[in-house]
Amino acid sequence: MVVRRSRHRLLALLCGVLAALTLTTPAVAAPERAALTRPEAAGGWLARQLVDGERFEAVFDGVAYPDQGLTLDAVFAFAAGGVADDHGADALAWVTRPDIRDGYLGDGVSEAYAGATAKLALAVQVRGGDPADVGGVDLIARLRSLQTPAGRFSDRSAYGDYSNAFSQSFALLALDRTAAGAPPAAAAWLAGTRCPDGGYPLLPAQPACTSDVDATALATQALRAADRPADAAAGLRWLVSVQRADGGFTNAAGTPNANSTGLAAQALRDGHRLPAWARARAFLAGLQVGCAGTPADRGAVDFDGGGFDPATAPRATAQAVLGLTGIGYARLSAAGADPGAPALACP
């Protein structure tokens, strides 16, 4: 029983980490959204992939596990694309169902996971809800209880501490939306993890600080939200310096892909690096399945352009939408999103 529970914990954490995301202006208005056919079509395709219209699942050894992290990525994508609002509502309702919620966040007593708590709190805020009352659970109070004296948000778990740059960044982004704001000590801790080259690592306190595209994309957005523009600017400069000639970004394995490029593109527009954002957006558009593709795949974004893979396309599409629109997490909102799931318009 302990082995099975530990495995489920690790799978849930993996899904959360893989999660796996503008100009500082008011939220994008409906007319601008209407012109963004590519992200709208991507969001529509993503909505049609939801199991029972409400969730994503991760399959390991033939067994389907709830994938709350990817489901929340879809909630963010629907808000960014201004589409599939009904699906976004159903997806969040599923994640916040007590059994699904507690399997993702922990019970709040012996088990409490910082990254999952922060990501769910932010999703609730994006959809206009109150993160202090999610089925009777105060996510904000729980998140603050996981902050260490050093400022880091850490897991409380018998299985170890899997918190990382994503956990810290999502915590800052969620808490910044509250009346008390993001804790300065938490922002200072994240800023203090910066590598000598200006980027941010996924895991702190490693023998050699290695900047990571995905982690830096999230960290720069969180630091900008927490009023640390200089620390964010260093990360943005590093992102621009590692952007490929074709506009894409690579993951830790060195593969140019939609996931890393989507998050980096989102951060670049949020940080006013518009030429770099435009190049990244063009790279993402080149990975989107168009009218020449199989009808069921049209609108989806392929992971790396090496052949459409339905297993990786949902997360790639969700994070690509963030980059295609460039709407940062700090101002992401589902307000005004259309209920439908549009398909790519083909002759």
Side-chain angles (χ1 to χ4, degrees), residues 84-246:
D85 192 54
D86 291 348
H87 291 83
D90 291 343
L92 189 61
W94 174 78
V95 177
T96 56
R97 206 175 76 191
D99 57 327
I100 301 300
R101 178 198 65 204
D102 293 348
Y104 182 51
L105 306 181
D107 59 16
V109 182
S110 60
E111 296 288 317
Y113 315 137
T117 303
K119 189 172 183 178
L120 179 56
L122 181 61
V124 170
Q125 292 166 323
V126 166
R127 289 206 51 80
D130 181 6
D133 184 8
V134 178
V137 174
D138 187 338
L139 297 181
I140 299 302
R142 182 180 295 187
L143 182 58
R144 290 187 183 278
S145 76
L146 297 175
Q147 185 181 351
T148 68
R152 179 179 181 175
F153 290 92
S154 296
D155 296 342
R156 184 167 61 241
S157 173
Y159 307 110
D161 182 7
Y162 289 85
S163 62
N164 54 35
F166 272 55
S167 309
Q168 195 77 9
S169 298
F170 276 127
L172 289 171
L173 287 162
L175 293 174
D176 181 67
R177 294 192 182 215
T178 67
W189 184 89
L190 180 60
T193 67
R194 190 171 75 239
C195 296
D197 61 10
Y200 288 83
L202 178 62
L203 299 173
Q206 297 299 299
C209 190
T210 303
S211 296
D212 178 84
V213 169
D214 299 47
T216 302
L218 263 292
T220 57
Q221 295 186 62
L223 290 166
R224 278 173 51 79
D227 296 322
R228 295 189 70 105
D231 295 306
L236 290 166
R237 286 193 295 271
W238 180 80
L239 283 175
V240 172
S241 75
V242 298
Q243 186 175 25
R244 289 162 48 92
D246 61 7

